[in-house]
Amino acid sequence: MFGIALLVAGAALAASFTPPPPPRHWVTDTAGVLSPQTRAQLDARLRRYEQDTGHQVVVWIGQSTGGIPIEEWVVRTFEAWKIGRKGLDDGVGVFVFVQDRRLRIEVGYGLEGDVPDAIAHRIVDEQAVPRLKTGDYDGAMQATVGALLAKIGGETSPPPAPPPIATHGQARPMSPGQMIVWLVIGAILLLLFITHPRLAFLLLWSMTSGGSRRHGGGGWG
């Protein structure tokens, strides 16, 4: 019953959904996560790309779909904004929802040969999500836009190099105190292996397996 109620509520939200007004720029950041410099650079790049090729690529960043499935929100907004040229349907929209931690690339029929679903998913998984997970919205949008324009082709000016994926810092050598701690732990494990091998094995397995899990999903949460 609860699942049915959620479906009914979602359908009601979708039925009452009104897309936001069409953007005035190629890059719109209503969530305020892009730096002014990156927003201006991407906007100028996409404006120049449309002038050179006719293909319209827009980036729109907001907070949430308000409970509406992202697929429904994006498709209806893409159609309402009429992204791409009339009769050619050669537009691409990159939609990011910061609060929902979801994003989607919507491609017009005229460019599906250049950016099929598999390529769009790969760009999301390889270019956007790793950078979004570190909070690098600038790098994520620069890399995503760069990958899209490379697949579609036609960019006349030299594209900038994709930004590196940020890490949490480089490994530093152990201090003398840390070395002593690990030597003590090693001695304890060696003693346990001699006296209680099963307990030592379980302890070693617990220590080494904790960080090996991987997470996935449609977003970057």
Side-chain angles (χ1 to χ4, degrees):
M1 294 295 294
F2 182 68
I4 295 176
L6 285 177
L7 289 174
V8 172
L13 282 172
S16 61
F17 169 65
T18 301
R24 298 182 178 180
H25 301 276
W26 286 260
V27 178
T28 304
D29 177 19
T30 66
V33 293
L34 295 180
S35 67
Q37 180 182 9
T38 295
R39 187 175 64 249
Q41 288 176 345
L42 281 177
D43 195 72
R45 183 180 181 184
L46 293 178
R47 181 183 69 249
R48 183 171 60 250
Y49 184 72
E50 184 173 350
Q51 292 171 347
D52 291 343
T53 67
H55 305 312
Q56 186 179 34
V57 179
V58 301
V59 175
W60 191 93
I61 304 175
Q63 288 289 356
S64 173
T65 64
I68 300 171
I70 187 172
E71 297 81 5
E72 179 78 13
W73 197 103
V74 168
V75 167
R76 293 181 60 177
T77 300
F78 189 92
E79 293 175 351
W81 289 356
K82 303 184 186 305
I83 299 175
R85 290 175 290 184
K86 184 178 181 180
L88 296 178
D89 198 12
D90 58 343
V92 177
V94 179
F95 297 88
V96 181
F97 300 92
V98 176
Q99 183 178 322
D100 299 342
R101 302 180 75 82
R102 299 289 304 279
L103 73 155
R104 182 177 173 87
I105 296 175
E106 191 71 17
V107 181
Y109 293 117
L111 290 178
E112 282 189 340
D114 299 291
V115 189
D117 287 346
I119 295 298
H121 282 295
R122 187 182 304 169
I123 292 173
V124 168
D125 292 340
E126 296 179 0
Q127 303 299 333
V129 170
R131 293 173 172 86
L132 291 172
K133 284 183 176 180
T134 67
D136 183 13
Y137 287 91
D138 285 0
M141 293 302 98
Q142 289 169 340
T144 299
V145 167
L148 282 171
L149 300 193
K151 288 297 180 183
I152 302 170
E155 188 171 25
T156 55
S157 58
I165 298 175
T167 62
H168 295 290
Q170 297 180 341
R172 293 175 296 176
M174 286 191 295
S175 65
Q178 290 173 319
M179 293 181 65
I180 293 173
V181 170
W182 280 108
L183 286 173
V184 172
I185 292 175
I188 294 174
L189 283 174
L190 180 61
L191 181 62
L192 283 175
F193 269 116
I194 296 173
T195 58
H196 300 85
R198 181 177 177 82
L199 178 60
F201 175 78
L202 291 174
L203 179 61
L204 183 62
W205 178 84
S206 176
M207 292 172 61
T208 57
S209 63
S212 64
R213 291 179 295 175
R214 299 293 183 264
H215 305 275
W220 67 93

